[in-house]
């Protein structure tokens, strides 16, 4: 007899800042049986996954792989592989995850120059350029979308600034990818890290990353091959060894590359999930996926506003896929979240740090970036707020969200499909 | 249209050193829909997983959690959290994974004292004690089962030696756990790390670990809470900060503990898998699972020997779950492996380092530690060796394996069911 009941997760509708419900096809992908890590079929799947994420990241970078861990593992792998002790790293902070980049960079031995803008705003490009001129960092580490504040940092001009000053440019796009535009090559990014559990529509536990040739060549200069599998043909690089073995991207690239030099044992089921997430999103088309996130996000915002609630932060720089709502005065925000979960099986998010207890965060991501999920969440919230005695505009959210979702201003231009086409040809 | 074909892994029988085929129930577990990371049901599943792995590790350690990454991530988390720069770490090496412990300890800043015994043997306890007396390390890091050589290092007496000399005792048991005895508490282990993809019968990508109170208190002295979620109530420890954020076990414990302080986003699908692996093994009963591995391993060895093949290494110290076979002279070991895969859909293992090209490694692990898999592998191997002109004893393997599997000498005594009982009560 089992010690505990068989797994039977409640049918939650996950409308928080992530994780969200995975696409059913992604869950099905993970139930496929395993194959050996050097089986030709497995290495084909790995190569396909590389090609698919080139499409997702809008890049032609050869070095596009998965780190076997959560999104945070992807961040740490990039930072610990790029930063040598003593390197200057500039970290503009506009929310919790900027603090995380700062902290991980510090632990990697960087001399971190950080500055913070008020939560609910983003960092002006001019401020970034001034800081670069003043501090001459080796690396700029910048979050694209920070779920803690719902803000979307503009990146399009930042790569050009970095290029002008010879600075490496890294962004963590975990919260924003495929819910908002990202053009890694066009925007001049040297390193990008992500996770599956937001708009990509998969579970946490696999972190896609991509690296420019410049970033790879820096990492190669720190190359090291471990004893036990090293042969005389292997030459180590001249620069300092990377402080982590697991996150030594040089070794990860040798494992994903033609030498197939054993490192970790690839997490096959998570690779199945990551591959399926990318297939689903590229099949729908990146511009359509982003447009769907725009529609769903705008509909949610419209519904909340119509109800009489106040949105948090600079709405012109909000991510499509998550919105902050000020908790109305006089009610217990946590009690309402619990009621949403227990009465409606709907999860909305709490908040961290300075926003804790002040806003809820409501996500419309991936599989859940749909009209029905938006409407359901709004009417449930309206019912509970009404019950709690909050004066909301009864009946306003539904038609308002519906109208916003259906309006025609949501087309997305300019998503580059080149990489996607390339990947198709390789298949 | 999808860019690549839908996932459709070939029906391989994975008889190498791991990964092996996962139990179907584990694959099914992963196809369950996600729930939020602080959903009461999710935190219940996390608590249950802690209790289940106390049973698997045979420990009462409160600090029994999953690291979100492959087995190697578990190793690095333990070492980087326990080792402060300059600490002396003793690493006796008897195969590839000893080299890995050495390398990871070095990257963590340790002063590593390593010595190596010939591959195919294990390290005498007396040698370990002498080295401890000479070098006075803070930590002993020792692999239990090293798939590179198939050897099983005796650990039962080592904890007492460490205790006598005030040395922390860590073992990586990824390759050996539930295929061979392990009694973490009775044997005096301070830290143990594992992975799912061997005898536990799951996919790679989640690393169960357990830590004694002594190990936890060392880690707590290095406590650090990241900015962005830190409050005035949080007090940092006085010792050096752990060099990794992702592998800072103090933070991981705060996430799994009652404070539920956010760190990474738990990889829910891998947690489902890890939980199911433990349930399946404890349901069968640890002593029965180990006995099944003994029977299957002994049957495989008997079949190979009867065929006229030579086994590699000290057979009195072999793991139950994997055997090394000397590749007969005059044949191409890789070509035969390819034929096993393409003709029979059976995968057997190649080898690393000094054994590369000299032995195959054949595993009988987890779901695949069965009579039918042993017999199928043996007769397929016999057919291909015969075809390749190797003089094998025709027809000898089948009856010999069958007889060995059925013989009565395989009962396992002394597996402690206390922890399992404890876990059941908590359920």
């Amino acid at each position: 007899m089992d010690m505990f009941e068989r797994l039977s997760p409640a049918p939650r509708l996950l409308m928080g800042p992530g994780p969200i419900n995975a696409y059913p096809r992604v869950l099905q992908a993970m139930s496929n049986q395993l194959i050996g890590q050097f089986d030709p079929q497995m290495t084909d799947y790995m190569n396909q996954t590389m090609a698919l994420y080139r499409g997702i990241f809008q890049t032609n970078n050869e070095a596009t792989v998965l780190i076997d861990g959560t999104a945070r593992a992807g961040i740490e792998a990039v930072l610990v592989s790029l930063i040598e002790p003593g390197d200057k790293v500039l970290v503009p902070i506009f929310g919790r995850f900027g603090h995380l980049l700062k902290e991980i960079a510090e632990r990697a031995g960087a001399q971190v120059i950080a500055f913070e803008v008020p939560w609910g705003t983003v960092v002006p490009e001019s401020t970034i350029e001034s800081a670069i001129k003043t501090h001459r960092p080796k690396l700029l580490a910048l979050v694209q979308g920070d779920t803690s504040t719902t803000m979307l940092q503009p990146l399009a001009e930042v790569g050009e600034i970095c290029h002008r000053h010879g600075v490496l440019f890294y962004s963590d796009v975990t919260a924003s990818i495929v819910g908002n535009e990202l053009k890694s090559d066009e925007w001049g990014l040297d390193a990008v890290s992500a996770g599956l559990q937001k708009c990509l529509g998969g579970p946490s536990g696999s972190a896609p990353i991509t690296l420019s040739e410049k970033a790879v060549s820096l990492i190669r200069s720190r190359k090291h091959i471990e004893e036990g599998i090293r042969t005389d043909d292997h030459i180590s690089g001249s620069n300092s060894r990377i402080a982590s073995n697991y996150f030594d991207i040089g070794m990860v690239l040798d494992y994903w590359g033609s030498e197939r030099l054993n490192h970790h044992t690839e997490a096959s089921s998570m690779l199945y999930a990551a591959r399926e997430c990318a297939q689903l999103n590229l099949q729908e088309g990146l511009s359509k996926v982003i447009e769907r996130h725009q529609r769903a996000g705008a509909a949610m915002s419209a519904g909340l506003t119509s109800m009489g609630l106040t949105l948090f932060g600079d709405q012109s720089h909000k991510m499509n896929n998550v919105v902050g709502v000020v908790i109305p005065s006089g009610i217990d925000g946590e009690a309402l979240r619990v009621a949403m979960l227990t009465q409606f099986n709907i999860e909305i998010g709490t908040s961290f740090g300075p926003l804790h207890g002040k806003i809820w965060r409501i996500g419309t991501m991936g599989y859940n970036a749909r009209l029905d999920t938006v409407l359901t969440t709004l009417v449930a919230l309206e019912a509970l707020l009404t019950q709690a005695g909050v004066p909301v505009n009864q009946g306003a959210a539904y038609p308002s969200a519906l109208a916003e979702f259906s309006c025609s201003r949501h087309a997305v231009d300019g998503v580059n499909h080149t990489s996607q086409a390339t990947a198709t040809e390789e298949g």
Side-chain angles (χ1 to χ4, degrees), chain A:
Chain A
M1 208 186 71
D2 286 331
M3 287 166 50
F4 296 109
E5 64 175 4
R6 290 289 281 269
L7 272 171
S8 178
R12 305 296 199 206
L13 177 61
L14 301 178
M15 301 297 282
I20 49 87
N21 297 97
Y23 288 102
R25 250 183 67 180
V26 173
L27 299 174
Q28 289 152 18
M30 279 190 291
S31 69
N32 276 288
Q33 188 50 275
L34 306 177
I35 48 181
Q37 60 175 329
F38 298 111
D39 192 307
Q41 194 177 16
M42 181 68 183
T43 51
D44 278 353
Y45 285 157
M46 290 172 79
N47 290 340
Q48 291 169 6
T49 302
M50 293 172 87
L52 288 162
Y53 279 91
R54 287 184 198 113
I56 295 293
F57 284 125
Q58 297 281 295
T59 184
N60 291 309
N61 289 337
E62 173 64 23
T64 305
V65 298
L66 305 177
I67 299 295
D68 284 3
T70 71
R72 179 177 290 236
I75 295 172
E76 186 157 321
V78 167
L79 290 179
V80 80
S81 292
L82 290 178
I83 295 169
E84 295 192 83
D87 279 347
K88 274 194 193 170
V89 176
L90 179 66
V91 185
I93 298 174
F94 61 99
R96 179 194 166 189
F97 290 96
H99 284 286
L100 180 62
L101 299 191
K102 172 172 176 276
E103 153 141 359
I104 294 176
E106 283 172 353
R107 293 204 196 205
Q111 181 187 342
V112 176
I113 301 112
F115 63 90
E116 187 165 2
V117 297
W119 286 31
T121 71
V122 297
V123 189
E125 287 92 333
S126 59
T127 308
I128 294 174
E129 181 156 27
S130 300
I132 286 177
K133 283 178 176 166
T134 307
H135 299 290
R136 301 270 154 210
K138 169 174 155 183
L139 174 71
L140 171 70
L142 187 58
V143 171
Q144 184 183 26
D146 199 315
T147 46
S148 69
T149 68
T150 76
M151 293 295 105
L152 182 77
Q153 172 66 38
L155 301 183
E157 314 300 326
V158 177
E160 173 54 28
I161 296 171
C162 287
H163 187 72
R164 231 170 18 242
H165 298 283
V167 174
L168 282 166
F169 179 23
Y170 158 61
S171 185
D172 175 56
V173 305
T174 301
S176 49
I177 187 128
V178 309
N180 309 269
E181 271 192 356
L182 171 72
K183 300 178 178 182
S184 298
D185 285 0
E186 193 179 324
W187 294 355
L189 283 145
D190 290 299
V192 187
S193 66
L196 306 186
Q197 77 273 19
K198 311 277 185 181
C199 305
L200 280 166
S204 172
S206 179
I209 63 167
T210 189
L211 298 160
S212 71
E213 285 182 21
K214 197 166 137 200
V216 170
S217 112
L218 171 61
I219 291 169
R220 287 296 181 201
S221 76
R222 307 179 70 191
K223 188 185 174 90
H224 171 87
I225 295 178
E226 69 192 47
E227 286 174 47
I229 59 169
R230 191 191 304 159
T231 69
D232 293 342
D233 296 337
H234 291 126
I235 298 161
S236 293
S238 53
N239 287 3
S240 68
R241 180 163 68 167
I242 291 166
S244 168
N245 172 295
Y246 193 69
F247 293 136
D248 183 330
I249 292 179
M251 301 172 93
V252 174
L253 292 177
D254 286 341
Y255 179 57
W256 283 75
S258 55
E259 196 180 357
R260 298 282 168 204
L261 200 58
N262 188 235
H263 182 242
H264 61 283
T265 297
E266 183 58 21
S268 314
S269 305
M270 287 307 306
L271 179 129
Y272 291 170
R275 181 183 180 277
E276 200 73 13
C277 286
Q279 287 251 87
L280 278 165
N281 281 285
L282 294 177
Q283 176 189 23
E284 183 174 348
L286 280 192
S287 58
K288 290 213 170 117
V289 174
I290 295 168
E291 185 187 325
R292 177 161 59 80
H293 281 89
Q294 279 186 344
R295 285 183 192 278
M300 183 65 83
S301 292
L304 294 166
T305 310
S306 307
M307 222 186 281
L309 300 174
T310 306
L311 306 186
F312 171 78
D314 175 359
Q315 294 304 299
S316 67
H317 285 111
K318 194 184 74 64
M319 279 188 277
N320 290 322
N321 48 297
V322 60
V323 62
V325 198
V326 177
I327 299 171
S329 60
I331 72 156
D332 177 342
E334 278 310 286
L336 186 129
R337 284 207 324 123
V338 168
M340 284 289 280
L341 196 69
T342 53
Q343 302 299 313
F344 292 97
N345 257 328
I346 299 174
E347 182 180 271
I348 63 171
T350 180
S351 300
F352 293 115
L355 296 176
H356 188 67
K358 295 184 183 157
I359 67 168
W360 296 304
R361 294 175 300 152
I362 304 183
T364 41
M365 306 195 190
Y367 182 53
N368 289 351
R370 304 193 312 261
L371 179 59
D372 63 295
T373 57
V374 170
L375 297 175
T376 306
T377 305
L378 286 168
V379 298
L381 188 62
E382 182 179 314
L384 290 174
L385 286 172
T386 301
Q387 175 74 15
V390 177
V392 296
N393 302 320
Q394 299 278 343
Y398 171 79
S400 163
L402 196 59
E404 184 62 39
F405 191 87
S406 317
C407 98
S408 60
R409 83 171 87 99
H410 295 291
V412 177
D413 291 330
V415 170
N416 180 353
H417 293 277
T418 312
S419 304
Q420 185 176 346
T422 308
T424 307
E425 283 157 23
E426 287 175 16

